[in-house]
Amino acid sequence: NAGVTQTPKFRVLKTGQSMTLLCAQDMNHEYMYWYRQDPGMGLRLIHYSVGEGTTAKGEVPDGYNVSRLKKQNFLLGLESAAPSQTSVYFCATTDRGSSGANVLTFGAGSRLTVL
Amino acid sequence: GDSVTQMEGPVTLSEEAFLTINCTYTATGYPSLFWYVQYPGEGLQLLLKATKADDKGSNKGFEATYRKETTSFHLEKGSVQVSDSAVYFCALRGTRGNNRLAFGKGNQVVVIP
């Protein structure tokens, strides 16, 4: 049971290049999220999805696009990378539910450096 | 909007010392509260949670009590080990229906032998 798998784990880009981060989950979770983690900033939500075919903006969506064509996959795209997008990116998932106890399951992270 | 505030700065302490990390929150209604831990080179994982006022979450010797009157969820451990060295994040799930979590900035904890 792999849980949440992120690929690639590391990537170096030049300014202006594009790339896509893939998040794959095998837990049949409805909700998926992309966060970025920067020193002194904690985790900030970029985009999220509440189900297949849906996406929504989080706190810091500018410069990123996402797609959720299949329930198990959530893609994060950078169309024209900038040095400010150097960060560690985390994908997380959780179940749909009415209780307040839904817990996020995180991937191991993808470290992106933009030169 | 919903937000979480953690105490500033890293925490360095000796093995077997008492650990406290402060967390306060701002939210409407009755949010759920969480502590997540991130070990070096890994993603975050749930440490403990509490879903209503006066609940105490506990795991691996860590405890936190949901205090509605002071809007706090401080993390404590009576005797830390070197293996507890990690970054600790307080988080809040509000009462909106999208399961979004608001995270604090995190506290680096370093335990010295």
Side-chain angles (χ1 to χ4, degrees), chain B residues 35-74:
Chain B
W35 277 100
Y36 280 82
V37 59
Q38 183 182 30
Y39 298 105
E42 298 183 11
L44 280 71
Q45 55 186 278
L46 180 70
L47 180 60
L48 53 84
K49 65 181 187 286
T51 58
K52 60 183 187 295
D54 299 326
D55 267 2
K56 178 185 285 188
S58 61
N59 186 25
K60 299 181 180 180
F62 290 89
E63 293 184 339
T65 301
Y66 187 160
R67 301 285 189 199
K68 182 70 174 175
E69 64 276 13
T70 54
T71 61
S72 65
F73 193 55
H74 305 323

PDB file of all heavy atoms in Angstrom, chain B residues 35-74:
ATOM      1  N   TRP B  35      -2.000  18.353  15.684  1.00  0.00           N
ATOM      2  CA  TRP B  35      -0.558  18.528  15.653  1.00  0.00           C
ATOM      3  C   TRP B  35      -0.006  17.506  14.668  1.00  0.00           C
ATOM      4  O   TRP B  35      -0.306  16.300  14.760  1.00  0.00           O
ATOM      5  CB  TRP B  35       0.079  18.308  17.022  1.00  0.00           C
ATOM      6  CG  TRP B  35       0.018  19.519  17.900  1.00  0.00           C
ATOM      7  CD1 TRP B  35      -0.859  19.774  18.903  1.00  0.00           C
ATOM      8  CD2 TRP B  35       0.899  20.654  17.842  1.00  0.00           C
ATOM      9  NE1 TRP B  35      -0.608  20.996  19.468  1.00  0.00           N
ATOM     10  CE2 TRP B  35       0.479  21.565  18.834  1.00  0.00           C
ATOM     11  CE3 TRP B  35       2.002  20.997  17.044  1.00  0.00           C
ATOM     12  CZ2 TRP B  35       1.119  22.783  19.079  1.00  0.00           C
ATOM     13  CZ3 TRP B  35       2.633  22.203  17.283  1.00  0.00           C
ATOM     14  CH2 TRP B  35       2.201  23.081  18.284  1.00  0.00           C
ATOM     15  N   TYR B  36       0.789  18.029  13.708  1.00  0.00           N
ATOM     16  CA  TYR B  36       1.504  17.187  12.761  1.00  0.00           C
ATOM     17  C   TYR B  36       2.996  17.287  13.047  1.00  0.00           C
ATOM     18  O   TYR B  36       3.492  18.333  13.497  1.00  0.00           O
ATOM     19  CB  TYR B  36       1.238  17.643  11.321  1.00  0.00           C
ATOM     20  CG  TYR B  36      -0.075  17.170  10.756  1.00  0.00           C
ATOM     21  CD1 TYR B  36      -1.252  17.853  11.045  1.00  0.00           C
ATOM     22  CD2 TYR B  36      -0.141  16.048   9.932  1.00  0.00           C
ATOM     23  CE1 TYR B  36      -2.469  17.411  10.522  1.00  0.00           C
ATOM     24  CE2 TYR B  36      -1.350  15.608   9.420  1.00  0.00           C
ATOM     25  CZ  TYR B  36      -2.506  16.295   9.720  1.00  0.00           C
ATOM     26  OH  TYR B  36      -3.701  15.855   9.210  1.00  0.00           O
ATOM     27  N   VAL B  37       3.722  16.217  12.740  1.00  0.00           N
ATOM     28  CA  VAL B  37       5.168  16.197  12.936  1.00  0.00           C
ATOM     29  C   VAL B  37       5.839  15.850  11.604  1.00  0.00           C
ATOM     30  O   VAL B  37       5.327  15.037  10.823  1.00  0.00           O
ATOM     31  CB  VAL B  37       5.572  15.195  14.043  1.00  0.00           C
ATOM     32  CG1 VAL B  37       5.119  13.775  13.720  1.00  0.00           C
ATOM     33  CG2 VAL B  37       7.067  15.224  14.282  1.00  0.00           C
ATOM     34  N   GLN B  38       6.968  16.506  11.350  1.00  0.00           N
ATOM     35  CA  GLN B  38       7.738  16.249  10.139  1.00  0.00           C
ATOM     36  C   GLN B  38       9.167  15.885  10.526  1.00  0.00           C
ATOM     37  O   GLN B  38       9.915  16.739  11.008  1.00  0.00           O
ATOM     38  CB  GLN B  38       7.728  17.481   9.227  1.00  0.00           C
ATOM     39  CG  GLN B  38       8.445  17.265   7.902  1.00  0.00           C
ATOM     40  CD  GLN B  38       8.448  18.513   7.044  1.00  0.00           C
ATOM     41  OE1 GLN B  38       8.444  19.636   7.547  1.00  0.00           O
ATOM     42  NE2 GLN B  38       8.463  18.333   5.734  1.00  0.00           N
ATOM     43  N   TYR B  39       9.533  14.632  10.326  1.00  0.00           N
ATOM     44  CA  TYR B  39      10.905  14.189  10.567  1.00  0.00           C
ATOM     45  C   TYR B  39      11.764  14.543   9.361  1.00  0.00           C
ATOM     46  O   TYR B  39      11.258  14.700   8.239  1.00  0.00           O
ATOM     47  CB  TYR B  39      10.935  12.700  10.862  1.00  0.00           C
ATOM     48  CG  TYR B  39      10.154  12.329  12.102  1.00  0.00           C
ATOM     49  CD1 TYR B  39       8.906  11.715  12.008  1.00  0.00           C
ATOM     50  CD2 TYR B  39      10.650  12.632  13.363  1.00  0.00           C
ATOM     51  CE1 TYR B  39       8.180  11.400  13.142  1.00  0.00           C
ATOM     52  CE2 TYR B  39       9.920  12.324  14.505  1.00  0.00           C
ATOM     53  CZ  TYR B  39       8.682  11.715  14.389  1.00  0.00           C
ATOM     54  OH  TYR B  39       7.965  11.418  15.506  1.00  0.00           O
ATOM     55  N   PRO B  40      13.061  14.683   9.559  1.00  0.00           N
ATOM     56  CA  PRO B  40      13.939  15.138   8.471  1.00  0.00           C
ATOM     57  C   PRO B  40      13.760  14.330   7.193  1.00  0.00           C
ATOM     58  O   PRO B  40      13.786  13.105   7.204  1.00  0.00           O
ATOM     59  CB  PRO B  40      15.335  14.948   9.073  1.00  0.00           C
ATOM     60  CG  PRO B  40      15.131  15.086  10.544  1.00  0.00           C
ATOM     61  CD  PRO B  40      13.788  14.471  10.826  1.00  0.00           C
ATOM     62  N   GLY B  41      13.568  15.050   6.073  1.00  0.00           N
ATOM     63  CA  GLY B  41      13.466  14.406   4.778  1.00  0.00           C
ATOM     64  C   GLY B  41      12.153  13.715   4.501  1.00  0.00           C
ATOM     65  O   GLY B  41      12.022  13.021   3.481  1.00  0.00           O
ATOM     66  N   GLU B  42      11.160  13.907   5.362  1.00  0.00           N
ATOM     67  CA  GLU B  42       9.886  13.222   5.177  1.00  0.00           C
ATOM     68  C   GLU B  42       8.723  14.208   5.066  1.00  0.00           C
ATOM     69  O   GLU B  42       8.877  15.403   5.319  1.00  0.00           O
ATOM     70  CB  GLU B  42       9.622  12.282   6.357  1.00  0.00           C
ATOM     71  CG  GLU B  42      10.664  11.182   6.501  1.00  0.00           C
ATOM     72  CD  GLU B  42      10.327  10.235   7.642  1.00  0.00           C
ATOM     73  OE1 GLU B  42       9.208  10.304   8.181  1.00  0.00           O
ATOM     74  OE2 GLU B  42      11.191   9.411   7.984  1.00  0.00           O
ATOM     75  N   GLY B  43       7.562  13.665   4.689  1.00  0.00           N
ATOM     76  CA  GLY B  43       6.349  14.468   4.712  1.00  0.00           C
ATOM     77  C   GLY B  43       5.793  14.567   6.120  1.00  0.00           C
ATOM     78  O   GLY B  43       6.306  13.967   7.053  1.00  0.00           O
ATOM     79  N   LEU B  44       4.729  15.334   6.264  1.00  0.00           N
ATOM     80  CA  LEU B  44       4.107  15.493   7.577  1.00  0.00           C
ATOM     81  C   LEU B  44       3.280  14.254   7.904  1.00  0.00           C
ATOM     82  O   LEU B  44       2.714  13.611   7.015  1.00  0.00           O
ATOM     83  CB  LEU B  44       3.184  16.712   7.591  1.00  0.00           C
ATOM     84  CG  LEU B  44       3.814  18.082   7.750  1.00  0.00           C
ATOM     85  CD1 LEU B  44       4.575  18.499   6.524  1.00  0.00           C
ATOM     86  CD2 LEU B  44       2.740  19.113   8.090  1.00  0.00           C
ATOM     87  N   GLN B  45       3.199  13.960   9.188  1.00  0.00           N
ATOM     88  CA  GLN B  45       2.313  12.886   9.628  1.00  0.00           C
ATOM     89  C   GLN B  45       1.589  13.313  10.892  1.00  0.00           C
ATOM     90  O   GLN B  45       2.136  14.089  11.687  1.00  0.00           O
ATOM     91  CB  GLN B  45       3.094  11.583   9.861  1.00  0.00           C
ATOM     92  CG  GLN B  45       4.253  11.697  10.812  1.00  0.00           C
ATOM     93  CD  GLN B  45       5.052  10.407  10.869  1.00  0.00           C
ATOM     94  OE1 GLN B  45       4.689   9.475  11.579  1.00  0.00           O
ATOM     95  NE2 GLN B  45       6.133  10.354  10.108  1.00  0.00           N
ATOM     96  N   LEU B  46       0.384  12.810  11.047  1.00  0.00           N
ATOM     97  CA  LEU B  46      -0.424  13.202  12.187  1.00  0.00           C
ATOM     98  C   LEU B  46       0.201  12.715  13.486  1.00  0.00           C
ATOM     99  O   LEU B  46       0.581  11.549  13.611  1.00  0.00           O
ATOM    100  CB  LEU B  46      -1.832  12.626  12.060  1.00  0.00           C
ATOM    101  CG  LEU B  46      -2.779  12.969  13.216  1.00  0.00           C
ATOM    102  CD1 LEU B  46      -3.143  14.443  13.164  1.00  0.00           C
ATOM    103  CD2 LEU B  46      -4.021  12.106  13.155  1.00  0.00           C
ATOM    104  N   LEU B  47       0.288  13.614  14.472  1.00  0.00           N
ATOM    105  CA  LEU B  47       0.760  13.240  15.794  1.00  0.00           C
ATOM    106  C   LEU B  47      -0.421  13.010  16.743  1.00  0.00           C
ATOM    107  O   LEU B  47      -0.510  11.987  17.405  1.00  0.00           O
ATOM    108  CB  LEU B  47       1.681  14.320  16.351  1.00  0.00           C
ATOM    109  CG  LEU B  47       2.275  14.081  17.726  1.00  0.00           C
ATOM    110  CD1 LEU B  47       3.116  12.814  17.761  1.00  0.00           C
ATOM    111  CD2 LEU B  47       3.111  15.290  18.170  1.00  0.00           C
ATOM    112  N   LEU B  48      -1.341  13.994  16.781  1.00  0.00           N
ATOM    113  CA  LEU B  48      -2.526  13.837  17.611  1.00  0.00           C
ATOM    114  C   LEU B  48      -3.576  14.843  17.170  1.00  0.00           C
ATOM    115  O   LEU B  48      -3.274  15.776  16.414  1.00  0.00           O
ATOM    116  CB  LEU B  48      -2.197  14.004  19.100  1.00  0.00           C
ATOM    117  CG  LEU B  48      -1.454  15.253  19.537  1.00  0.00           C
ATOM    118  CD1 LEU B  48      -2.401  16.413  19.751  1.00  0.00           C
ATOM    119  CD2 LEU B  48      -0.659  15.007  20.818  1.00  0.00           C
ATOM    120  N   LYS B  49      -4.795  14.644  17.659  1.00  0.00           N
ATOM    121  CA  LYS B  49      -5.884  15.546  17.267  1.00  0.00           C
ATOM    122  C   LYS B  49      -6.917  15.636  18.379  1.00  0.00           C
ATOM    123  O   LYS B  49      -6.958  14.798  19.295  1.00  0.00           O
ATOM    124  CB  LYS B  49      -6.554  15.054  15.980  1.00  0.00           C
ATOM    125  CG  LYS B  49      -7.276  13.716  16.111  1.00  0.00           C
ATOM    126  CD  LYS B  49      -7.890  13.313  14.785  1.00  0.00           C
ATOM    127  CE  LYS B  49      -8.767  12.060  14.924  1.00  0.00           C
ATOM    128  NZ  LYS B  49      -7.966  10.842  15.093  1.00  0.00           N
ATOM    129  N   ALA B  50      -7.762  16.686  18.288  1.00  0.00           N
ATOM    130  CA  ALA B  50      -8.884  16.870  19.200  1.00  0.00           C
ATOM    131  C   ALA B  50      -9.993  17.562  18.427  1.00  0.00           C
ATOM    132  O   ALA B  50      -9.735  18.495  17.662  1.00  0.00           O
ATOM    133  CB  ALA B  50      -8.474  17.695  20.415  1.00  0.00           C
ATOM    134  N   THR B  51     -11.200  17.098  18.602  1.00  0.00           N
ATOM    135  CA  THR B  51     -12.295  17.605  17.774  1.00  0.00           C
ATOM    136  C   THR B  51     -13.306  18.448  18.528  1.00  0.00           C
ATOM    137  O   THR B  51     -14.165  19.068  17.897  1.00  0.00           O
ATOM    138  CB  THR B  51     -13.037  16.447  17.096  1.00  0.00           C
ATOM    139  OG1 THR B  51     -13.533  15.562  18.119  1.00  0.00           O
ATOM    140  CG2 THR B  51     -12.113  15.679  16.178  1.00  0.00           C
ATOM    141  N   LYS B  52     -13.238  18.488  19.857  1.00  0.00           N
ATOM    142  CA  LYS B  52     -14.168  19.359  20.572  1.00  0.00           C
ATOM    143  C   LYS B  52     -13.507  19.874  21.842  1.00  0.00           C
ATOM    144  O   LYS B  52     -12.502  19.329  22.316  1.00  0.00           O
ATOM    145  CB  LYS B  52     -15.464  18.637  20.892  1.00  0.00           C
ATOM    146  CG  LYS B  52     -15.336  17.401  21.743  1.00  0.00           C
ATOM    147  CD  LYS B  52     -16.704  16.762  21.910  1.00  0.00           C
ATOM    148  CE  LYS B  52     -16.669  15.616  22.904  1.00  0.00           C
ATOM    149  NZ  LYS B  52     -15.846  14.498  22.428  1.00  0.00           N
ATOM    150  N   ALA B  53     -14.090  20.921  22.384  1.00  0.00           N
ATOM    151  CA  ALA B  53     -13.535  21.597  23.556  1.00  0.00           C
ATOM    152  C   ALA B  53     -13.326  20.619  24.706  1.00  0.00           C
ATOM    153  O   ALA B  53     -14.151  19.737  24.952  1.00  0.00           O
ATOM    154  CB  ALA B  53     -14.451  22.740  23.974  1.00  0.00           C
ATOM    155  N   ASP B  54     -12.178  20.778  25.381  1.00  0.00           N
ATOM    156  CA  ASP B  54     -11.750  19.989  26.542  1.00  0.00           C
ATOM    157  C   ASP B  54     -11.260  18.589  26.175  1.00  0.00           C
ATOM    158  O   ASP B  54     -10.804  17.857  27.057  1.00  0.00           O
ATOM    159  CB  ASP B  54     -12.852  19.876  27.598  1.00  0.00           C
ATOM    160  CG  ASP B  54     -13.261  21.234  28.146  1.00  0.00           C
ATOM    161  OD1 ASP B  54     -12.388  22.110  28.259  1.00  0.00           O
ATOM    162  OD2 ASP B  54     -14.447  21.423  28.425  1.00  0.00           O
ATOM    163  N   ASP B  55     -11.322  18.223  24.896  1.00  0.00           N
ATOM    164  CA  ASP B  55     -10.730  16.961  24.464  1.00  0.00           C
ATOM    165  C   ASP B  55      -9.230  17.018  24.646  1.00  0.00           C
ATOM    166  O   ASP B  55      -8.609  18.057  24.427  1.00  0.00           O
ATOM    167  CB  ASP B  55     -11.013  16.707  22.971  1.00  0.00           C
ATOM    168  CG  ASP B  55     -12.257  15.887  22.758  1.00  0.00           C
ATOM    169  OD1 ASP B  55     -12.926  15.547  23.756  1.00  0.00           O
ATOM    170  OD2 ASP B  55     -12.553  15.597  21.584  1.00  0.00           O
ATOM    171  N   LYS B  56      -8.621  15.893  25.017  1.00  0.00           N
ATOM    172  CA  LYS B  56      -7.169  15.794  25.066  1.00  0.00           C
ATOM    173  C   LYS B  56      -6.731  14.777  24.042  1.00  0.00           C
ATOM    174  O   LYS B  56      -7.158  13.620  24.072  1.00  0.00           O
ATOM    175  CB  LYS B  56      -6.700  15.378  26.466  1.00  0.00           C
ATOM    176  CG  LYS B  56      -5.178  15.202  26.569  1.00  0.00           C
ATOM    177  CD  LYS B  56      -4.748  14.674  27.928  1.00  0.00           C
ATOM    178  CE  LYS B  56      -4.825  15.742  28.983  1.00  0.00           C
ATOM    179  NZ  LYS B  56      -4.224  15.293  30.268  1.00  0.00           N
ATOM    180  N   GLY B  57      -5.874  15.203  23.129  1.00  0.00           N
ATOM    181  CA  GLY B  57      -5.256  14.273  22.197  1.00  0.00           C
ATOM    182  C   GLY B  57      -3.930  13.812  22.769  1.00  0.00           C
ATOM    183  O   GLY B  57      -3.232  14.578  23.437  1.00  0.00           O
ATOM    184  N   SER B  58      -3.575  12.545  22.516  1.00  0.00           N
ATOM    185  CA  SER B  58      -2.302  12.049  23.031  1.00  0.00           C
ATOM    186  C   SER B  58      -1.757  10.969  22.107  1.00  0.00           C
ATOM    187  O   SER B  58      -2.520  10.201  21.489  1.00  0.00           O
ATOM    188  CB  SER B  58      -2.464  11.499  24.447  1.00  0.00           C
ATOM    189  OG  SER B  58      -3.373  10.427  24.456  1.00  0.00           O
ATOM    190  N   ASN B  59      -0.419  10.905  22.032  1.00  0.00           N
ATOM    191  CA  ASN B  59       0.238   9.908  21.190  1.00  0.00           C
ATOM    192  C   ASN B  59       1.737   9.984  21.458  1.00  0.00           C
ATOM    193  O   ASN B  59       2.301  11.088  21.546  1.00  0.00           O
ATOM    194  CB  ASN B  59      -0.039  10.166  19.710  1.00  0.00           C
ATOM    195  CG  ASN B  59       0.503   9.078  18.808  1.00  0.00           C
ATOM    196  OD1 ASN B  59       0.679   7.936  19.225  1.00  0.00           O
ATOM    197  ND2 ASN B  59       0.761   9.418  17.563  1.00  0.00           N
ATOM    198  N   LYS B  60       2.396   8.853  21.579  1.00  0.00           N
ATOM    199  CA  LYS B  60       3.857   8.771  21.733  1.00  0.00           C
ATOM    200  C   LYS B  60       4.357   9.625  22.895  1.00  0.00           C
ATOM    201  O   LYS B  60       5.473  10.157  22.843  1.00  0.00           O
ATOM    202  CB  LYS B  60       4.552   9.208  20.446  1.00  0.00           C
ATOM    203  CG  LYS B  60       4.218   8.356  19.232  1.00  0.00           C
ATOM    204  CD  LYS B  60       4.969   8.847  18.011  1.00  0.00           C
ATOM    205  CE  LYS B  60       4.631   7.992  16.801  1.00  0.00           C
ATOM    206  NZ  LYS B  60       5.346   8.438  15.580  1.00  0.00           N
ATOM    207  N   GLY B  61       3.574   9.805  23.935  1.00  0.00           N
ATOM    208  CA  GLY B  61       3.987  10.590  25.088  1.00  0.00           C
ATOM    209  C   GLY B  61       3.670  12.071  24.964  1.00  0.00           C
ATOM    210  O   GLY B  61       3.847  12.834  25.917  1.00  0.00           O
ATOM    211  N   PHE B  62       3.215  12.506  23.799  1.00  0.00           N
ATOM    212  CA  PHE B  62       2.806  13.886  23.588  1.00  0.00           C
ATOM    213  C   PHE B  62       1.327  14.046  23.950  1.00  0.00           C
ATOM    214  O   PHE B  62       0.529  13.138  23.749  1.00  0.00           O
ATOM    215  CB  PHE B  62       2.996  14.292  22.129  1.00  0.00           C
ATOM    216  CG  PHE B  62       4.418  14.419  21.694  1.00  0.00           C
ATOM    217  CD1 PHE B  62       5.112  13.332  21.192  1.00  0.00           C
ATOM    218  CD2 PHE B  62       5.076  15.643  21.770  1.00  0.00           C
ATOM    219  CE1 PHE B  62       6.425  13.438  20.795  1.00  0.00           C
ATOM    220  CE2 PHE B  62       6.394  15.767  21.365  1.00  0.00           C
ATOM    221  CZ  PHE B  62       7.063  14.670  20.873  1.00  0.00           C
ATOM    222  N   GLU B  63       0.994  15.239  24.457  1.00  0.00           N
ATOM    223  CA  GLU B  63      -0.399  15.554  24.784  1.00  0.00           C
ATOM    224  C   GLU B  63      -0.712  16.989  24.380  1.00  0.00           C
ATOM    225  O   GLU B  63       0.175  17.844  24.383  1.00  0.00           O
ATOM    226  CB  GLU B  63      -0.650  15.429  26.296  1.00  0.00           C
ATOM    227  CG  GLU B  63      -0.558  14.033  26.846  1.00  0.00           C
ATOM    228  CD  GLU B  63      -0.913  14.005  28.320  1.00  0.00           C
ATOM    229  OE1 GLU B  63      -0.831  15.066  28.975  1.00  0.00           O
ATOM    230  OE2 GLU B  63      -1.262  12.920  28.814  1.00  0.00           O
ATOM    231  N   ALA B  64      -1.993  17.225  24.072  1.00  0.00           N
ATOM    232  CA  ALA B  64      -2.467  18.591  23.843  1.00  0.00           C
ATOM    233  C   ALA B  64      -3.946  18.626  24.196  1.00  0.00           C
ATOM    234  O   ALA B  64      -4.694  17.702  23.848  1.00  0.00           O
ATOM    235  CB  ALA B  64      -2.257  19.017  22.402  1.00  0.00           C
ATOM    236  N   THR B  65      -4.373  19.694  24.876  1.00  0.00           N
ATOM    237  CA  THR B  65      -5.766  19.821  25.293  1.00  0.00           C
ATOM    238  C   THR B  65      -6.408  20.992  24.569  1.00  0.00           C
ATOM    239  O   THR B  65      -5.852  22.099  24.534  1.00  0.00           O
ATOM    240  CB  THR B  65      -5.872  20.029  26.809  1.00  0.00           C
ATOM    241  OG1 THR B  65      -5.265  18.914  27.475  1.00  0.00           O
ATOM    242  CG2 THR B  65      -7.334  20.131  27.240  1.00  0.00           C
ATOM    243  N   TYR B  66      -7.584  20.764  24.016  1.00  0.00           N
ATOM    244  CA  TYR B  66      -8.352  21.757  23.273  1.00  0.00           C
ATOM    245  C   TYR B  66      -9.004  22.694  24.294  1.00  0.00           C
ATOM    246  O   TYR B  66      -9.938  22.324  24.989  1.00  0.00           O
ATOM    247  CB  TYR B  66      -9.408  21.006  22.462  1.00  0.00           C
ATOM    248  CG  TYR B  66     -10.244  21.778  21.473  1.00  0.00           C
ATOM    249  CD1 TYR B  66     -10.890  21.103  20.451  1.00  0.00           C
ATOM    250  CD2 TYR B  66     -10.435  23.135  21.555  1.00  0.00           C
ATOM    251  CE1 TYR B  66     -11.682  21.759  19.528  1.00  0.00           C
ATOM    252  CE2 TYR B  66     -11.227  23.813  20.651  1.00  0.00           C
ATOM    253  CZ  TYR B  66     -11.851  23.113  19.634  1.00  0.00           C
ATOM    254  OH  TYR B  66     -12.649  23.776  18.730  1.00  0.00           O
ATOM    255  N   ARG B  67      -8.494  23.925  24.362  1.00  0.00           N
ATOM    256  CA  ARG B  67      -9.008  24.904  25.318  1.00  0.00           C
ATOM    257  C   ARG B  67      -9.768  25.988  24.572  1.00  0.00           C
ATOM    258  O   ARG B  67      -9.174  26.876  23.955  1.00  0.00           O
ATOM    259  CB  ARG B  67      -7.854  25.556  26.088  1.00  0.00           C
ATOM    260  CG  ARG B  67      -6.999  24.585  26.868  1.00  0.00           C
ATOM    261  CD  ARG B  67      -7.668  24.092  28.099  1.00  0.00           C
ATOM    262  NE  ARG B  67      -6.766  23.311  28.961  1.00  0.00           N
ATOM    263  CZ  ARG B  67      -7.180  22.471  29.894  1.00  0.00           C
ATOM    264  NH1 ARG B  67      -8.475  22.269  30.085  1.00  0.00           N
ATOM    265  NH2 ARG B  67      -6.296  21.813  30.637  1.00  0.00           N
ATOM    266  N   LYS B  68     -11.092  25.902  24.638  1.00  0.00           N
ATOM    267  CA  LYS B  68     -11.920  26.867  23.922  1.00  0.00           C
ATOM    268  C   LYS B  68     -11.811  28.247  24.555  1.00  0.00           C
ATOM    269  O   LYS B  68     -11.788  29.270  23.851  1.00  0.00           O
ATOM    270  CB  LYS B  68     -13.386  26.386  23.946  1.00  0.00           C
ATOM    271  CG  LYS B  68     -14.363  27.287  23.194  1.00  0.00           C
ATOM    272  CD  LYS B  68     -14.161  27.239  21.705  1.00  0.00           C
ATOM    273  CE  LYS B  68     -15.229  28.016  20.985  1.00  0.00           C
ATOM    274  NZ  LYS B  68     -14.975  28.081  19.513  1.00  0.00           N
ATOM    275  N   GLU B  69     -11.729  28.301  25.875  1.00  0.00           N
ATOM    276  CA  GLU B  69     -11.737  29.597  26.569  1.00  0.00           C
ATOM    277  C   GLU B  69     -10.501  30.428  26.274  1.00  0.00           C
ATOM    278  O   GLU B  69     -10.552  31.655  26.284  1.00  0.00           O
ATOM    279  CB  GLU B  69     -11.912  29.390  28.073  1.00  0.00           C
ATOM    280  CG  GLU B  69     -10.786  28.647  28.755  1.00  0.00           C
ATOM    281  CD  GLU B  69     -10.887  27.136  28.686  1.00  0.00           C
ATOM    282  OE1 GLU B  69     -11.717  26.613  27.892  1.00  0.00           O
ATOM    283  OE2 GLU B  69     -10.122  26.463  29.404  1.00  0.00           O
ATOM    284  N   THR B  70      -9.371  29.748  25.994  1.00  0.00           N
ATOM    285  CA  THR B  70      -8.138  30.475  25.679  1.00  0.00           C
ATOM    286  C   THR B  70      -7.749  30.296  24.212  1.00  0.00           C
ATOM    287  O   THR B  70      -6.677  30.749  23.796  1.00  0.00           O
ATOM    288  CB  THR B  70      -6.974  29.994  26.554  1.00  0.00           C
ATOM    289  OG1 THR B  70      -6.848  28.569  26.428  1.00  0.00           O
ATOM    290  CG2 THR B  70      -7.212  30.354  28.012  1.00  0.00           C
ATOM    291  N   THR B  71      -8.606  29.659  23.432  1.00  0.00           N
ATOM    292  CA  THR B  71      -8.350  29.323  22.010  1.00  0.00           C
ATOM    293  C   THR B  71      -6.930  28.801  21.824  1.00  0.00           C
ATOM    294  O   THR B  71      -6.154  29.305  21.008  1.00  0.00           O
ATOM    295  CB  THR B  71      -8.622  30.519  21.075  1.00  0.00           C
ATOM    296  OG1 THR B  71      -7.747  31.617  21.412  1.00  0.00           O
ATOM    297  CG2 THR B  71     -10.056  30.957  21.164  1.00  0.00           C
ATOM    298  N   SER B  72      -6.600  27.755  22.582  1.00  0.00           N
ATOM    299  CA  SER B  72      -5.240  27.223  22.542  1.00  0.00           C
ATOM    300  C   SER B  72      -5.234  25.711  22.414  1.00  0.00           C
ATOM    301  O   SER B  72      -6.224  25.033  22.738  1.00  0.00           O
ATOM    302  CB  SER B  72      -4.469  27.642  23.794  1.00  0.00           C
ATOM    303  OG  SER B  72      -5.046  27.047  24.945  1.00  0.00           O
ATOM    304  N   PHE B  73      -4.090  25.193  21.956  1.00  0.00           N
ATOM    305  CA  PHE B  73      -3.900  23.750  21.794  1.00  0.00           C
ATOM    306  C   PHE B  73      -2.409  23.475  21.935  1.00  0.00           C
ATOM    307  O   PHE B  73      -1.736  23.031  21.012  1.00  0.00           O
ATOM    308  CB  PHE B  73      -4.439  23.308  20.432  1.00  0.00           C
ATOM    309  CG  PHE B  73      -4.600  21.822  20.246  1.00  0.00           C
ATOM    310  CD1 PHE B  73      -5.345  21.060  21.132  1.00  0.00           C
ATOM    311  CD2 PHE B  73      -4.030  21.179  19.151  1.00  0.00           C
ATOM    312  CE1 PHE B  73      -5.508  19.692  20.953  1.00  0.00           C
ATOM    313  CE2 PHE B  73      -4.182  19.811  18.949  1.00  0.00           C
ATOM    314  CZ  PHE B  73      -4.919  19.071  19.858  1.00  0.00           C
ATOM    315  N   HIS B  74      -1.869  23.744  23.110  1.00  0.00           N
ATOM    316  CA  HIS B  74      -0.435  23.640  23.353  1.00  0.00           C
ATOM    317  C   HIS B  74       0.015  22.186  23.401  1.00  0.00           C
ATOM    318  O   HIS B  74      -0.650  21.339  24.023  1.00  0.00           O
ATOM    319  CB  HIS B  74      -0.064  24.324  24.662  1.00  0.00           C
ATOM    320  CG  HIS B  74      -0.497  25.756  24.741  1.00  0.00           C
ATOM    321  ND1 HIS B  74      -0.465  26.619  23.660  1.00  0.00           N
ATOM    322  CD2 HIS B  74      -0.980  26.477  25.794  1.00  0.00           C
ATOM    323  CE1 HIS B  74      -0.892  27.806  24.032  1.00  0.00           C
ATOM    324  NE2 HIS B  74      -1.222  27.750  25.316  1.00  0.00           N
TER     325      HIS B  74
END
